[in-house]
């Protein structure tokens, strides 16, 4: 199949390019705009208790609201607020409400801090557009208008809350995108220029990937988001840029290394490109298939962010794969080799590959020792996972601490007590739609007060009972910040007491931010038990089909799992102390490390199989595979790791952690797993690694097999 693809593309390059351009224009022109949603509650399906509690609140207490934005007032000199200041605050709050800002429904006076230095105003916005860009625009208008109204006073006004966090996240996202794009471009250009000594090769993949592949994939992602009703998040954009540049450059490298090798072997240019697509195509397609399946496994997640991220990345890799098998070879086949590799001349000379040849000899001769040492390195790093702790404050993780919304959040936590900024609500509802009647509200509140971690419980029958008398709202103030481990544990205890002590004929539901984080924790644990095994099984099936073996997939996936453990352990040791790692990170890390680690394993094992099919014994085949595939994997691993590492410059804690974790995981996958662990294990297992097939035997030696196709041999010196 890949031979036919290569032959068609190389013999009809102009038509291939025209087809790509027509398809790109059609897809981009008809795609909707990609929405964005940063509301953490939107991550969860309606079956979770925190979401059910939100529904009860909206129906029973429509006038009550969780503020979408919080206006924080303080004096510019840091002193306590005076009576004149309080009058100005009331005036500014009233004026903000009269501004009729889009999405803002009302602005009401909040409470003063215990030390008298702070005062708040609470802003209600349209619930239907929660987390959407419109509310970020409203937060910007609130900031501008409140600052203007406070001019000439002694007051400093800042705006925080979810809408303001969405605004600051957008701004941080733009910075992240720019840093990721510029950093990735520079790394790729410099590395490719050093490897191939050709400015054209250094620039070509970037033009194709950013100008065609990324825009087409983005349009298809927008289509999928609209068709399937997926959630979008502003953190995805920077990640997509890095993935398309990193993975796309990897596929380009695989093709160009093989093309240069075939030219050195004496192939005519077009035939060299056809042979390159034939040989590399199966490995690239299998590797991309493993990546796509890993990402699609996220569709099984219960978290909205991951159900969007998975299909988005799968679409991106699929488009990149198609470009790697068609657009890249079509364009390269139109350019004569001397022009393509200009001004370098070494593309015509067979290199000694002394460094990788030496590594190959060590792996071949001391396979047992290499397997033990490389496996031990990954195992020791994996011990770091024992200290893993999750952080559920995604907003703080994705926004720099210096942004206004984060300053407001920190100030509220210090000035009003940790749990007061985001209290927990317990809704006691009649299951028969009849008034609650003889319920002893005081006794129920006293039960909640006794829960460890609860600072206070308030209930006023006049204000906290809905007009039909069917639902009561108990406001529970925890002692801890809403996203902390202690708050999440405490809200679990609150749920237990609330449920167990609900009077007959009633149902208790616990809502609020801590309850949402509690449910996110449960959803993540569900994903660990579902997404991980499904992705692993599907990847093993791909490996089994590619290698025609039921043995190799087991130790290959085990090696990747060991690489994941090493990556998570190292990330915990560096970033996991204090608040812990962003809760999404292990899942994203697992999928990237497993998928990309499988990529490099496939490339190495496929080359090892080719060498074995030349009649070499297992240890010699491993040695030669290192010599020929080592430079490709090394270059690809360095570029991909470096592009992900650019995320560490974003100023975004989530992307910083992700950048390090994925970059480190790629380094482990390329330079420990693929170069040492996998080939040494395969050499040790010998022919048994390919059982029950005969994929490592020469075609003439395999039962009923024809003679090997010598025209596709790999190196020119044979």
């Amino acid at each position: 199949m890949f031979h036919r693809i290569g032959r068609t593309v190389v013999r009809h390059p102009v038509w291939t390019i025209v087809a790509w351009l027509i398809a790109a224009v059609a897809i981009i022109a008809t795609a909707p705009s990609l929405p964005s949603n940063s509301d953490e509650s939107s991550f969860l399906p309606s079956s979770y208790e925190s979401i059910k509690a939100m529904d009860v609140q909206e129906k029973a207490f429509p006038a009550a609201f969780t503020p979408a934005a919080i206006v924080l007032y303080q004096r510019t000199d840091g002193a306590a607020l005076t009576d004149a200041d309080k009058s100005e605050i009331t005036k500014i709050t009233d004026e903000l409400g009269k501004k009729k800002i889009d999405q803002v429904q009302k602005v009401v006076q909040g409470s003063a801090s215990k030390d008298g230095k702070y005062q708040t105003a609470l802003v209600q916005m349209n619930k239907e557009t929660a987390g959407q860009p419109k509310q970020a625009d409203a937060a910007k208008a609130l900031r501008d208008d409140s600052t203007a109204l406070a001019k000439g006073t002694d007051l400093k006004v800042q705006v925080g809350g979810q809408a303001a966090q969405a605004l600051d996240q957008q701004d941080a996202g733009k910075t992240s995108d720019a840093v990721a794009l510029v950093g990735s471009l520079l790394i790729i250009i410099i590395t490719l220029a050093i490897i191939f000594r050709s400015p054209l090769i250094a620039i070509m993949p970037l033009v194709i990937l950013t100008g065609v592949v990324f825009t087409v994939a983005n349009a298809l992602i927008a289509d999928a988001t609209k068709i399937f009703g997926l959630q979008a998040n502003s953190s995805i954009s920077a990640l997509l840029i890095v993935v398309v540049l990193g993975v796309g450059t990897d596929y380009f490298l695989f093709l160009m290394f093989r093309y240069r090798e075939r030219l050195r072997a004496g192939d005519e240019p077009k035939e060299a490109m056809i042979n390159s697509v034939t040989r590399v195509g199966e490995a690239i397609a299998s590797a991309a298939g493993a990546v796509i399946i890993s990402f699609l496994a996220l569709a099984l997640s219960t978290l909205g962010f991951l159900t969007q991220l998975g299909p988005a990345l799968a679409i991106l890799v699929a488009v990149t794969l198609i470009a790697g098998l068609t657009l890249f070879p079509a364009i390269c086949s139109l350019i004569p080799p001397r022009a393509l590799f200009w001004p370098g001349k070494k593309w015509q000379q067979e290199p000694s590959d002394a460094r990788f040849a030496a590594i190959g000899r060590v792996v071949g001769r001391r396979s047992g020792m290499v397997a033990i040492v490389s496996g031990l390195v990954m195992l020791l790093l994996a011990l770091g996972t024992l200290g893993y702790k999750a952080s559920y404050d995604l907003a703080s993780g994705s926004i720099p601490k210096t942004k206004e919304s984060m300053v407001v959040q920190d100030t509220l936590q210090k000035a009003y007590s940790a749990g007061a900024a985001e209290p927990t609500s317990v809704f006691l509802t009649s299951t028969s739609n009849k008034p609650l009647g003889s319920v002893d509200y005081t006794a129920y509140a006293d039960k909640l007060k006794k829960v460890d971690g609860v600072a206070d419980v308030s209930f006023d029958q006049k204000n906290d009972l809905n007009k039909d008398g069917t639902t009561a709202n108990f406001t529970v103030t925890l002692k801890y910040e809403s996203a902390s481990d202690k708050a999440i544990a405490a809200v679990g205890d609150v749920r237990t007491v609330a449920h167990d002590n609900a009077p007959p004929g009633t149902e208790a539901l616990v809502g609020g931010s801590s309850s949402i984080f509690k449910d996110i924790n449960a959803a993540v644990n569900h994903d660990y038990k579902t997404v991980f095994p499904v992705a692993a099984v599907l990847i093993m099936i791909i490996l089994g089909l590619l290698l025609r073996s039921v043995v190799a997939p087991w130790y290959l996936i085990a090696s990747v799992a060991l690489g994941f453990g090493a990556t998570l352990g190292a990330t915990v040791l560096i970033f996991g102390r204090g608040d812990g790692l962003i809760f999404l990170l292990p899942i994203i890390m697992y999928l990237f490390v497993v998928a990309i680690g499988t990529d490099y394993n496939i490339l190495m094992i496929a080359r090892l199989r080719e060498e074995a099919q030349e009649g070499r014994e297992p240890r010699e085949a491993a040695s030669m595979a290192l010599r020929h595939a080592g430079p490709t994997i090394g270059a690809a691993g360095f570029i991909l790791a470096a592009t992900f590492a650019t995320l560490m410059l974003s100023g975004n804690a989530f992307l910083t952690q992700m950048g390090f974790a994925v970059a480190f995981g790629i380094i482990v996958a390329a330079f420990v797993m693929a170069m040492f662990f996998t080939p040494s294990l395969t050499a040790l297992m010998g022919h048994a690694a390919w059982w029950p097939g005969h994929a490592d035997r020469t075609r003439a030696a395999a039962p009923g097999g024809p003679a090997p196709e010598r025209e596709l041999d790999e190196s020119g010196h044979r």
Side-chain angles (χ1 to χ4, degrees):
M1 181 180 75
F2 295 103
H3 184 74
R4 287 197 298 272
I5 292 173
R7 185 174 56 196
T8 302
V9 167
V10 171
R11 290 182 179 176
H12 305 285
V14 175
W15 285 112
T16 302
I17 296 169
V18 169
W20 259 95
L21 293 177
I22 293 173
V25 170
I27 292 170
I28 294 167
T30 58
S33 59
L34 186 65
S36 180
N37 196 326
S38 58
D39 182 10
E40 285 171 321
S41 66
S42 68
F43 284 17
L44 294 167
S46 58
S47 59
Y48 282 88
E49 181 171 345
S50 58
I51 307 303
K52 291 180 180 178
M54 289 176 63
D55 293 338
V56 169
Q57 180 180 9
E58 290 179 7
K59 293 174 183 176
F61 302 96
F65 65 93
T66 300
I70 300 174
V71 182
L72 179 67
Y73 301 98
Q74 59 183 299
R75 284 184 60 87
T76 54
D77 60 6
L81 296 169
T82 65
D83 290 340
D85 294 330
K86 294 176 183 177
S87 296
E88 289 290 347
I89 289 171
T90 302
K91 180 180 177 182
I92 293 171
T93 300
D94 292 341
E95 288 296 322
L96 284 175
K98 295 175 183 178
K99 288 283 185 179
K100 302 297 181 184
I101 298 170
D102 182 40
Q103 301 299 310
V104 174
Q105 296 178 334
K106 62 181 178 181
V107 183
V108 299
Q109 194 85 357
S111 59
S113 62
K114 293 180 181 179
D115 60 8
K117 294 183 178 181
Y118 302 95
Q119 175 76 40
T120 61
L122 310 179
V123 182
Q124 181 181 11
M125 294 189 187
N126 188 350
K127 294 177 181 178
E128 284 71 29
T129 57
Q132 294 184 11
K134 291 180 180 179
Q135 296 205 354
D137 295 338
K140 186 177 188 307
L142 282 169
R143 284 179 177 173
D144 293 341
D145 290 343
S146 60
T147 300
L149 290 169
K151 193 172 183 180
T153 71
D154 294 324
L155 296 172
K156 177 182 178 181
V157 187
Q158 294 174 296
V159 178
Q162 282 194 352
Q165 288 173 358
L167 174 64
D168 290 339
Q169 193 175 54
Q170 283 181 5
D171 294 339
K174 292 175 183 176
T175 302
S176 301
D177 289 358
V179 169
L181 179 59
V182 173
S184 299
L185 291 176
L186 288 175
I187 288 166
I188 292 171
I189 289 172
I190 293 171
T191 307
L192 290 179
I194 292 173
I195 293 172
F196 292 100
R197 295 174 174 80
S198 165
L200 184 57
I201 291 179
I203 295 172
M204 183 193 302
L206 304 181
V207 174
I208 298 172
L209 291 170
T210 57
V212 180
V213 175
F214 181 71
T215 50
V216 169
N218 231 16
L220 291 174
I221 291 166
D223 285 326
T225 299
K226 182 178 181 180
I227 292 170
F228 297 107
L230 302 174
Q231 299 290 345
N233 186 279
S234 54
S235 295
I236 288 178
S237 183
L239 186 58
L240 293 180
I241 292 171
V242 171
V243 171
V244 73
L245 289 174
V247 173
T249 303
D250 266 13
Y251 295 165
F252 179 76
L253 270 173
F254 296 164
L255 181 70
M256 293 309 297
F257 266 101
R258 191 62 69 103
Y259 179 52
R260 186 176 65 177
E261 189 174 328
R262 294 310 310 153
L263 290 173
R264 287 169 174 168
D267 284 0
E268 182 269 332
K270 288 188 179 297
E271 192 63 28
M273 184 57 73
I274 293 172
N275 286 342
S276 299
V277 175
T278 301
R279 283 298 198 185
V280 175
E282 184 180 22
I284 289 180
S286 300
V291 175
I292 291 168
I293 281 179
S294 294
F295 291 153
L296 285 178
L298 285 176
L300 300 173
S301 171
T302 51
L303 294 173
F305 174 79
L306 293 179
T307 57
Q308 159 69 9
L309 178 64
L313 290 171
I315 290 169
L316 187 67
V317 174
V319 175
T320 306
L321 169 64
I322 296 170
L325 295 176
T326 58
L327 190 56
F328 281 141
I331 292 174
C332 290
S333 65
L334 284 175
I335 305 171
R338 291 186 181 277
L340 183 64
F341 292 99
W342 182 88
K345 298 184 184 299
K346 289 190 175 182
W347 65 272
Q348 298 172 301
Q349 305 167 11
E350 181 69 27
S352 63
D353 288 329
R355 185 179 298 107
F356 290 98
I359 294 174
R361 285 194 295 271
V362 172
V363 170
R365 292 172 183 172
R366 301 187 177 182
S367 302
M369 181 61 70
V370 170
I372 291 172
V373 172
S374 55
L376 193 59
V377 168
M378 292 189 285
L379 185 61
L380 290 174
L381 287 172
L383 294 177
T385 59
L386 298 175
Y388 172 72
K389 183 175 72 171
S391 169
Y392 295 92
D393 191 354
L394 186 59
S396 296
S398 58
I399 305 172
K401 295 291 186 183
T402 55
K403 288 289 186 179
E404 187 170 324
S405 61
M406 291 295 98
V407 173
V408 170
Q409 178 175 291
D410 291 343
T411 303
L412 288 173
Q413 290 172 5
K414 294 173 183 176
Y416 287 82
S417 85
E422 296 181 274
T424 296
S425 296
V426 177
F427 297 100
L428 192 64
T429 305
S430 170
T431 55
S432 62
N433 291 324
K434 295 179 180 179
L436 292 171
S438 60
V439 171
D440 189 341
Y441 301 112
T442 302
Y444 190 74
D446 287 342
K447 292 283 187 182
L448 295 175
K449 284 181 182 178
K450 293 178 181 178
V451 176
D452 188 31
V454 172
D456 187 36
V457 178
S458 64
F459 176 79
D460 181 352
Q461 190 166 341
K462 181 178 179 181
N463 298 317
D464 294 329
L465 197 65
N466 72 329
K467 64 179 182 179
D468 297 328
T470 58
T471 303
N473 178 14
F474 297 83
T475 301
V476 178
T477 302
L478 300 177
K479 296 178 181 178
Y480 318 111
E481 191 273 320
S482 63
S484 66
D485 289 341
K486 290 183 177 179
I488 293 170
V491 86
D493 294 337
V494 170
R495 283 184 178 181
T496 300
V497 172
H499 296 164
D500 292 347
N501 291 278
T506 66
E507 179 188 26
L509 293 171
V510 180
S513 295
S514 295
S515 185
I516 290 173
F517 294 135
K518 175 76 173 175
D519 287 339
I520 288 177
N521 181 41
V524 169
N525 289 334
H526 165 271
D527 291 349
Y528 288 159
K529 298 173 184 177
T530 305
V531 177
F532 285 19
V534 168
V537 168
L538 293 175
I539 290 174
M540 285 181 68
I541 291 173
I542 287 182
L543 288 171
L545 293 174
L546 170 67
L547 303 175
R548 294 150 183 93
S549 166
V550 296
V551 175
W554 285 98
Y555 70 80
L556 290 178
I557 204 70
S559 71
V560 172
L562 199 56
F564 164 75
T567 303
L568 180 58
T571 307
V572 168
L573 291 173
I574 294 176
F575 294 100
R577 304 182 185 282
D579 295 334
L581 301 179
I582 300 298
F583 68 94
L584 291 172
L585 193 62
I587 292 180
I588 294 173
M589 187 192 309
Y590 171 84
L591 292 168
F592 272 106
V593 172
V594 166
I596 293 168
T598 304
D599 262 17
Y600 296 148
N601 266 347
I602 286 175
L603 192 67
M604 179 58 72
I605 205 78
R607 188 61 188 242
L608 195 153
R609 180 183 59 184
E610 290 180 24
E611 298 296 340
Q613 288 174 344
E614 292 295 322
R616 294 184 171 89
E617 287 302 310
R619 289 176 181 264
E620 185 187 2
S623 177
M624 294 303 295
L626 254 298
R627 175 177 180 177
H628 293 297
T632 308
I633 293 174
F638 172 78
I639 289 178
L640 194 58
T643 52
F644 271 102
T646 60
L647 292 175
M648 297 177 66
L649 305 175
S650 64
N652 177 322
F654 178 38
L655 291 179
T656 298
Q657 291 179 10
M658 184 191 298
F660 170 83
V662 178
F664 187 86
I666 292 166
I667 293 295
V668 171
F671 295 97
V672 179
M673 187 195 314
M675 285 196 190
F676 293 100
F677 194 66
T678 296
S680 61
L681 273 182
T682 306
L684 283 173
M685 298 189 70
H687 297 301
W690 308 94
W691 185 87
H694 302 278
D696 65 326
R697 309 294 178 90
T698 61
R699 296 189 183 184
E709 299 179 38
R710 301 300 298 179
E711 69 273 18
L712 295 179
D713 287 351
E714 287 306 305
S715 57
H717 61 270
R718 291 180 188 160

